[in-house]
């Protein structure tokens, strides 16, 4: 779930501009996912975590910028982490230095 490159630079600036009295590193993964998804929303990269019900299994999948990925994860947080990794790639491709 690590952000890299331009995405990390922009996230760090965005986070400390919007939440100057908070320390990102001390949050649980669930809270980190929430802040990162909010960051992507503000830059026009949209993540969606979706419950799925394939035969005899319940799980979560995700889409980024309306492109659906068919991996199924056991928890919403696992799906969010995978979506963040994909969104990080998309963001860095869109914002190459």
């Amino acid at each position: 779930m690590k952000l890299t490159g331009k995405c990390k630079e922009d996230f760090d600036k965005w986070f400390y501009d919007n939440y100057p009295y908070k320390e990102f590193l001390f949050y649980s993964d669930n809270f980190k996912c929430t802040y990162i998804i909010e960051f992507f929303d503000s830059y026009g990269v949209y993540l969606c975590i979706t419950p799925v019900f394939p035969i005899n299994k319940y799980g979560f999948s995700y889409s980024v910028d309306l492109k659906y990925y068919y991996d199924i994860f056991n928890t919403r947080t696992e799906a969010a982490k995978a979506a963040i990794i994909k969104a990080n790639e998309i963001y860095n491709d869109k914002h190459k230095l």
Side-chain angles (χ1 to χ4, degrees):
M1 182 178 77
K2 260 186 152 178
L3 300 178
T4 60
K6 179 77 168 134
C7 186
K8 175 152 179 37
E9 281 178 39
D10 290 351
F11 173 79
D12 288 344
K13 181 181 180 334
W14 174 88
F15 185 82
Y16 294 110
D17 285 350
N18 288 283
Y19 302 99
Y21 302 108
K22 298 191 179 202
E23 182 58 50
F24 183 76
L25 296 175
F26 296 118
Y27 285 106
S28 70
D29 284 352
N30 288 336
F31 281 106
K32 287 179 181 177
C33 287
T34 301
Y35 284 118
I36 292 170
I37 290 169
E38 183 181 343
F39 159 75
F40 282 124
D41 283 351
S42 72
Y43 278 85
V45 178
Y46 299 106
L47 288 69
C48 181
I49 311 304
T50 307
V52 293
F53 305 97
I55 298 172
N56 297 327
K57 186 172 176 159
Y58 173 81
F60 295 90
S61 197
Y62 68 93
S63 63
V64 177
D65 283 349
L66 302 176
K67 183 173 181 191
Y68 190 76
Y69 297 89
Y70 292 96
D71 298 323
I72 297 175
F73 300 89
N74 292 325
T75 67
R76 182 181 304 274
T77 302
E78 289 173 2
K81 288 178 180 180
I84 288 167
I85 291 167
K86 181 55 73 177
N88 179 71
E89 292 172 16
I90 292 168
Y91 186 94
N92 283 332
D93 285 345
K94 284 183 178 179
H95 298 91
K96 288 187 180 182
L97 297 174

